[in-house]
Amino acid sequence: MTIGIGRKFGRRMVLATDTMIIDNNTGRADSIPGRLKAIILSPYVSIAYAGHADPAIFTIRRAHQSLLETGNVREAAKILIEASSRTDVDVEFILAFHEDGRPFMHKVTAQGISDDLENCFIGDAHVVRDVLQVEPSQRGQGSPDIGILVEESRFANAFHALFTDRGVQVSGSVGGVPIILNASPYGHHYQGHALSMAWDTIDFAVGITPAQHRAQRAGETAWKYNVIDGILRGVAVMGVALPQAGVGFVYSPLHNDDAEIIQVPVPDGPAFIDSTSLLEAVSARVNALREADGYGVVDLEAPWEQDDAD
Protein backbone atom coordinates (compact mmCIF):
# COMPACT_ATOMS: atom_id res chain seq x y z
CA MET A 1 0.00 0.00 0.00
CA THR A 2 1.57 3.33 1.05
CA ILE A 3 0.51 6.53 2.72
CA GLY A 4 -0.68 9.68 1.00
CA ILE A 5 -2.26 12.64 2.78
CA GLY A 6 -3.62 15.78 1.17
CA ARG A 7 -4.40 18.88 3.23
CA LYS A 8 -5.53 22.41 2.38
CA PHE A 9 -4.18 25.39 4.27
CA GLY A 10 -5.73 28.54 2.90
CA ARG A 11 -4.67 28.85 -0.74
CA ARG A 12 -1.88 26.32 -0.23
CA MET A 13 -2.04 22.53 -0.24
CA VAL A 14 0.33 19.86 1.05
CA LEU A 15 0.76 16.31 -0.28
CA ALA A 16 2.66 14.04 2.11
CA THR A 17 3.80 10.55 1.07
CA ASP A 18 6.39 7.89 1.84
CA THR A 19 8.71 6.19 -0.67
CA MET A 20 8.40 2.50 0.21
CA ILE A 21 7.13 -0.05 -2.32
CA ILE A 22 6.55 -3.78 -1.90
CA ASP A 23 7.46 -6.43 -4.47
CA ASN A 24 4.31 -8.55 -4.63
CA ASN A 25 6.26 -11.55 -5.93
CA THR A 26 8.83 -11.69 -3.12
CA GLY A 27 7.23 -9.57 -0.40
CA ARG A 28 10.46 -7.59 -0.17
CA ALA A 29 10.17 -3.96 0.91
CA ASP A 30 12.14 -1.36 -1.03
CA SER A 31 12.17 1.60 1.35
CA ILE A 32 15.14 3.59 0.06
CA PRO A 33 15.16 4.64 -2.64
CA GLY A 34 11.72 3.14 -3.27
CA ARG A 35 9.79 5.46 -5.57
CA LEU A 36 8.59 9.04 -5.55
CA LYS A 37 4.80 8.93 -5.07
CA ALA A 38 4.03 12.66 -5.04
CA ILE A 39 4.57 13.84 -8.60
CA ILE A 40 4.40 17.35 -10.06
CA LEU A 41 2.83 17.45 -13.53
CA SER A 42 3.06 21.18 -14.16
CA PRO A 43 3.63 24.36 -12.15
CA TYR A 44 0.06 24.14 -10.82
CA VAL A 45 -0.90 20.43 -11.01
CA SER A 46 0.34 17.56 -8.82
CA ILE A 47 -0.69 13.97 -8.11
CA ALA A 48 -0.03 11.51 -5.29
CA TYR A 49 -0.70 7.79 -5.68
CA ALA A 50 -1.16 4.63 -3.66
CA GLY A 51 -1.41 1.02 -4.77
CA HIS A 52 0.39 -0.81 -7.56
CA ALA A 53 3.31 1.39 -8.51
CA ASP A 54 3.86 0.39 -12.14
CA PRO A 55 0.26 1.00 -13.33
CA ALA A 56 0.11 4.19 -11.23
CA ILE A 57 3.25 5.62 -12.82
CA PHE A 58 2.06 4.68 -16.31
CA THR A 59 -1.28 6.40 -15.64
CA ILE A 60 0.37 9.54 -14.29
CA ARG A 61 2.60 9.75 -17.36
CA ARG A 62 -0.47 9.53 -19.58
CA ALA A 63 -2.15 12.26 -17.53
CA HIS A 64 0.97 14.39 -17.86
CA GLN A 65 1.00 13.92 -21.63
CA SER A 66 -2.69 14.88 -21.78
CA LEU A 67 -1.96 18.00 -19.77
CA LEU A 68 0.88 18.94 -22.11
CA GLU A 69 -1.32 18.48 -25.17
CA THR A 70 -4.58 20.03 -23.94
CA GLY A 71 -3.71 22.20 -20.94
CA ASN A 72 -6.94 20.87 -19.42
CA VAL A 73 -6.59 19.29 -15.98
CA ARG A 74 -10.08 17.78 -16.23
CA GLU A 75 -9.07 15.79 -19.30
CA ALA A 76 -6.06 14.53 -17.36
CA ALA A 77 -8.37 13.60 -14.46
CA LYS A 78 -10.38 11.34 -16.78
CA ILE A 79 -7.28 9.19 -17.25
CA LEU A 80 -6.90 8.79 -13.48
CA ILE A 81 -10.58 7.86 -13.15
CA GLU A 82 -10.28 5.25 -15.90
CA ALA A 83 -7.27 3.60 -14.25
CA SER A 84 -8.82 3.57 -10.77
CA SER A 85 -11.98 1.91 -12.09
CA ARG A 86 -10.10 -1.10 -13.48
CA THR A 87 -10.64 -4.39 -11.68
CA ASP A 88 -7.24 -5.88 -12.52
CA VAL A 89 -5.16 -3.24 -10.69
CA ASP A 90 -5.40 -1.39 -7.39
CA VAL A 91 -4.54 2.31 -7.65
CA GLU A 92 -5.80 5.46 -5.97
CA PHE A 93 -4.84 9.09 -6.53
CA ILE A 94 -4.99 12.52 -4.96
CA LEU A 95 -5.22 15.24 -7.59
CA ALA A 96 -4.23 18.72 -6.37
CA PHE A 97 -4.21 21.75 -8.63
CA HIS A 98 -4.58 25.51 -8.70
CA GLU A 99 -6.88 27.33 -11.10
CA ASP A 100 -6.78 31.12 -11.12
CA GLY A 101 -5.00 30.94 -7.76
CA ARG A 102 -7.74 28.83 -6.16
CA PRO A 103 -6.82 25.39 -4.73
CA PHE A 104 -8.69 22.23 -5.70
CA MET A 105 -8.14 18.75 -4.29
CA HIS A 106 -9.88 15.54 -5.37
CA LYS A 107 -9.56 11.90 -4.39
CA VAL A 108 -9.79 9.38 -7.24
CA THR A 109 -10.69 5.77 -6.35
CA ALA A 110 -12.62 2.84 -7.81
CA GLN A 111 -15.78 4.69 -6.75
CA GLY A 112 -14.91 7.64 -8.99
CA ILE A 113 -13.71 11.17 -8.32
CA SER A 114 -14.71 13.11 -5.22
CA ASP A 115 -15.93 16.65 -4.91
CA ASP A 116 -13.39 19.32 -4.00
CA LEU A 117 -12.01 18.35 -0.55
CA GLU A 118 -10.26 20.13 2.30
CA ASN A 119 -8.54 16.94 3.51
CA CYS A 120 -8.16 13.44 2.13
CA PHE A 121 -5.94 10.37 2.35
CA ILE A 122 -5.07 7.26 0.38
CA GLY A 123 -3.28 4.14 1.57
CA ASP A 124 -2.83 2.94 5.14
CA ALA A 125 -5.57 4.51 7.27
CA HIS A 126 -3.90 3.42 10.52
CA VAL A 127 -0.77 5.43 9.77
CA VAL A 128 -2.85 8.44 8.75
CA ARG A 129 -4.59 8.25 12.12
CA ASP A 130 -1.21 8.17 13.88
CA VAL A 131 -0.11 11.33 12.08
CA LEU A 132 -3.29 13.17 13.01
CA GLN A 133 -2.99 12.07 16.63
CA VAL A 134 0.48 13.58 17.11
CA GLU A 135 -0.20 16.71 15.03
CA PRO A 136 -1.66 18.82 17.89
CA SER A 137 1.51 18.30 19.96
CA GLN A 138 3.86 19.53 17.22
CA ARG A 139 5.34 22.98 17.15
CA GLY A 140 4.63 25.06 14.07
CA GLN A 141 6.08 28.20 12.57
CA GLY A 142 4.14 30.04 9.89
CA SER A 143 5.08 32.77 7.44
CA PRO A 144 1.92 34.85 7.02
CA ASP A 145 3.56 37.19 4.53
CA ILE A 146 3.75 34.36 1.97
CA GLY A 147 0.61 32.55 3.11
CA ILE A 148 2.18 29.72 5.15
CA LEU A 149 -0.02 29.01 8.16
CA VAL A 150 1.17 27.63 11.49
CA GLU A 151 -1.15 24.67 10.95
CA GLU A 152 0.69 23.72 7.74
CA SER A 153 4.04 23.70 9.51
CA ARG A 154 2.58 21.65 12.38
CA PHE A 155 1.22 19.03 9.96
CA ALA A 156 4.55 18.70 8.11
CA ASN A 157 6.38 18.30 11.43
CA ALA A 158 3.90 15.61 12.53
CA PHE A 159 4.46 13.67 9.31
CA HIS A 160 8.25 13.89 9.72
CA ALA A 161 7.96 12.83 13.37
CA LEU A 162 6.34 9.56 12.33
CA PHE A 163 9.52 8.57 10.48
CA THR A 164 11.89 10.04 13.06
CA ASP A 165 10.27 7.99 15.83
CA ARG A 166 9.77 4.69 13.98
CA GLY A 167 12.65 4.61 11.53
CA VAL A 168 12.88 3.47 7.94
CA GLN A 169 9.88 1.09 8.16
CA VAL A 170 6.94 2.88 9.77
CA SER A 171 4.59 -0.07 9.24
CA GLY A 172 4.40 -3.17 7.09
CA SER A 173 3.42 -1.07 4.08
CA VAL A 174 4.75 2.42 4.88
CA GLY A 175 8.33 3.63 5.19
CA GLY A 176 11.41 5.08 3.56
CA VAL A 177 11.74 8.85 3.36
CA PRO A 178 8.94 11.32 4.17
CA ILE A 179 8.20 13.46 1.12
CA ILE A 180 6.40 16.80 1.37
CA LEU A 181 5.07 18.43 -1.79
CA ASN A 182 4.04 22.05 -1.27
CA ALA A 183 1.34 23.16 -3.69
CA SER A 184 1.34 26.94 -3.70
CA PRO A 185 -0.63 29.29 -5.98
CA TYR A 186 2.83 30.51 -7.03
CA GLY A 187 3.95 27.05 -8.14
CA HIS A 188 4.17 23.47 -6.87
CA HIS A 189 7.49 22.25 -5.48
CA TYR A 190 9.09 19.74 -3.12
CA GLN A 191 10.11 20.74 0.38
CA GLY A 192 13.79 20.30 1.10
CA HIS A 193 14.68 19.21 4.62
CA ALA A 194 17.21 17.26 6.66
CA LEU A 195 16.54 14.82 9.50
CA SER A 196 18.21 12.07 11.50
CA MET A 197 16.55 8.73 12.21
CA ALA A 198 17.34 5.51 14.06
CA TRP A 199 17.53 3.29 10.99
CA ASP A 200 20.15 0.71 11.97
CA THR A 201 21.26 -1.08 8.76
CA ILE A 202 19.56 0.02 5.56
CA ASP A 203 19.72 -2.20 2.49
CA PHE A 204 20.10 0.28 -0.36
CA ALA A 205 19.82 -0.53 -4.05
CA VAL A 206 23.63 -0.53 -4.21
CA GLY A 207 23.92 -3.00 -1.31
CA ILE A 208 25.42 -2.41 2.12
CA THR A 209 28.01 0.32 1.62
CA PRO A 210 31.53 0.20 3.18
CA ALA A 211 30.55 3.16 5.34
CA GLN A 212 27.61 1.16 6.70
CA HIS A 213 29.88 -1.77 7.56
CA ARG A 214 32.08 0.58 9.59
CA ALA A 215 29.03 2.03 11.29
CA GLN A 216 27.80 -1.45 12.19
CA ARG A 217 31.10 -2.27 13.85
CA ALA A 218 30.97 1.01 15.74
CA GLY A 219 27.37 0.43 16.85
CA GLU A 220 26.05 3.44 14.99
CA THR A 221 22.33 3.27 14.24
CA ALA A 222 21.34 6.90 13.59
CA TRP A 223 21.40 7.98 9.96
CA LYS A 224 21.01 11.45 8.56
CA TYR A 225 19.43 12.25 5.23
CA ASN A 226 18.80 15.35 3.13
CA VAL A 227 15.89 15.88 0.75
CA ILE A 228 17.08 18.17 -2.06
CA ASP A 229 14.38 20.09 -3.86
CA GLY A 230 16.28 21.88 -6.62
CA ILE A 231 15.89 25.45 -7.88
CA LEU A 232 12.78 25.31 -10.08
CA ARG A 233 9.08 24.92 -9.34
CA GLY A 234 6.72 22.84 -11.43
CA VAL A 235 9.12 19.97 -12.29
CA ALA A 236 8.98 16.40 -10.93
CA VAL A 237 12.65 16.00 -10.03
CA MET A 238 14.12 15.77 -6.52
CA GLY A 239 16.92 14.02 -4.67
CA VAL A 240 17.72 12.27 -1.39
CA ALA A 241 21.28 12.13 -0.02
CA LEU A 242 22.56 9.95 2.82
CA PRO A 243 26.03 11.38 3.51
CA GLN A 244 27.06 8.79 6.12
CA ALA A 245 26.50 6.00 3.61
CA GLY A 246 28.04 7.91 0.72
CA VAL A 247 25.02 7.40 -1.51
CA GLY A 248 22.27 9.56 -2.95
CA PHE A 249 19.27 9.08 -5.23
CA VAL A 250 17.69 11.32 -7.84
CA TYR A 251 14.02 10.79 -8.68
CA SER A 252 12.51 11.77 -12.04
CA PRO A 253 9.37 9.59 -12.21
CA LEU A 254 7.91 11.07 -15.40
CA HIS A 255 10.90 9.61 -17.24
CA ASN A 256 12.47 6.91 -15.06
CA ASP A 257 10.76 4.20 -13.03
CA ASP A 258 13.62 3.89 -10.57
CA ALA A 259 15.80 6.49 -8.90
CA GLU A 260 19.22 7.28 -10.32
CA ILE A 261 22.04 6.32 -7.94
CA ILE A 262 24.73 8.88 -7.05
CA GLN A 263 27.81 7.70 -5.14
CA VAL A 264 30.97 9.41 -3.94
CA PRO A 265 34.31 7.71 -3.20
CA VAL A 266 34.34 6.11 0.24
CA PRO A 267 37.61 6.69 2.15
CA ASP A 268 39.52 3.77 3.64
CA GLY A 269 39.83 3.43 7.38
CA PRO A 270 38.04 5.66 9.85
CA ALA A 271 38.00 8.80 7.65
CA PHE A 272 34.64 10.49 7.15
CA ILE A 273 32.90 10.75 3.80
CA ASP A 274 32.92 14.25 2.40
CA SER A 275 29.21 14.92 2.82
CA THR A 276 29.52 18.22 0.99
CA SER A 277 30.67 16.43 -2.16
CA LEU A 278 27.70 14.08 -2.05
CA LEU A 279 25.19 16.86 -1.46
CA GLU A 280 26.70 18.91 -4.27
CA ALA A 281 26.66 15.91 -6.63
CA VAL A 282 23.00 15.15 -5.94
CA SER A 283 22.02 18.83 -6.13
CA ALA A 284 23.85 19.27 -9.43
CA ARG A 285 22.09 16.26 -10.95
CA VAL A 286 18.67 17.38 -9.69
CA ASN A 287 19.13 20.86 -11.12
CA ALA A 288 20.51 19.56 -14.42
CA LEU A 289 17.45 17.36 -14.92
CA ARG A 290 15.07 20.12 -13.88
CA GLU A 291 16.58 22.58 -16.35
CA ALA A 292 16.69 20.11 -19.24
CA ASP A 293 14.31 20.56 -22.15
CA GLY A 294 11.90 17.93 -23.46
CA TYR A 295 9.66 16.78 -20.63
CA GLY A 296 7.47 14.78 -23.00
CA VAL A 297 6.42 11.24 -22.16
CA VAL A 298 7.42 8.16 -24.14
CA ASP A 299 4.40 6.04 -25.13
CA LEU A 300 4.89 2.81 -23.19
CA GLU A 301 2.93 -0.41 -23.14
CA ALA A 302 0.48 -0.45 -20.24
CA PRO A 303 1.92 -2.57 -17.41
CA TRP A 304 -1.44 -3.88 -16.19
CA GLU A 305 -0.04 -7.39 -15.91
CA GLN A 306 3.13 -6.26 -14.12
CA ASP A 307 1.78 -5.83 -10.60
CA ASP A 308 5.22 -6.35 -9.07
CA ALA A 309 5.30 -3.22 -6.97
CA ASP A 310 2.85 -1.95 -4.41
Side-chain angles (χ1 to χ4, degrees), residues 35-249:
R35 288 188 178 177
L36 185 62
K37 303 175 189 175
I39 301 175
I40 298 171
L41 269 63
S42 77
Y44 304 105
V45 181
S46 296
I47 296 174
Y49 73 84
H52 295 145
D54 288 340
I57 287 292
F58 172 79
T59 300
I60 290 172
R61 288 173 181 168
R62 286 185 59 213
H64 176 236
Q65 188 65 51
S66 172
L67 196 61
L68 289 175
E69 293 173 352
T70 68
N72 189 328
V73 68
R74 288 161 183 79
E75 290 299 316
K78 292 178 182 178
I79 296 172
L80 305 182
I81 296 169
E82 176 190 2
S84 295
S85 66
R86 296 182 66 96
T87 59
D88 51 347
V89 295
D90 180 16
V91 290
E92 298 178 340
F93 303 96
I94 298 174
L95 172 63
F97 63 95
H98 281 86
E99 196 169 65
D100 297 326
R102 180 184 169 189
F104 294 86
M105 185 162 57
H106 301 272
K107 181 176 178 178
V108 183
T109 67
Q111 286 70 48
I113 187 167
S114 72
D115 294 331
D116 183 29
L117 302 172
E118 294 294 314
N119 306 287
C120 66
F121 76 87
I122 52 178
D124 192 330
H126 296 92
V127 177
V128 174
R129 180 198 59 199
D130 293 343
V131 173
L132 299 181
Q133 284 180 342
V134 303
E135 183 178 349
S137 65
Q138 298 297 310
R139 298 179 61 184
Q141 183 174 359
S143 299
D145 55 325
I146 56 175
I148 300 178
L149 304 178
V150 171
E151 291 79 5
E152 178 182 338
S153 174
R154 187 178 293 126
F155 167 68
N157 290 341
F159 192 73
H160 289 150
L162 189 72
F163 292 77
T164 302
D165 295 342
R166 300 188 188 179
V168 70
Q169 189 154 345
V170 173
S171 71
S173 61
V174 176
V177 175
I179 302 297
I180 299 289
L181 190 161
N182 291 322
S184 160
Y186 306 106
H188 294 197
H189 64 98
Y190 297 102
Q191 181 187 86
H193 64 272
L195 286 177
S196 179
M197 306 183 196
W199 283 352
D200 200 2
T201 301
I202 311 169
D203 186 6
F204 299 123
V206 295
I208 303 298
T209 69
Q212 286 179 282
H213 283 301
R214 288 202 299 271
Q216 284 179 310
R217 291 193 294 270
E220 182 176 19
T221 60
W223 293 85
K224 298 178 181 178
Y225 76 91
N226 297 73
V227 170
I228 299 168
D229 58 339
I231 60 176
L232 297 176
R233 294 179 181 233
V235 183
V237 180
M238 59 153 291
V240 172
L242 295 102
Q244 290 160 285
V247 63
F249 304 96

Side-chain angles (χ1 to χ4, degrees), residues 245-260:
V247 63
F249 304 96
V250 177
Y251 302 83
S252 51
L254 293 180
H255 300 280
N256 301 295
D257 291 346
D258 299 314
E260 178 182 349

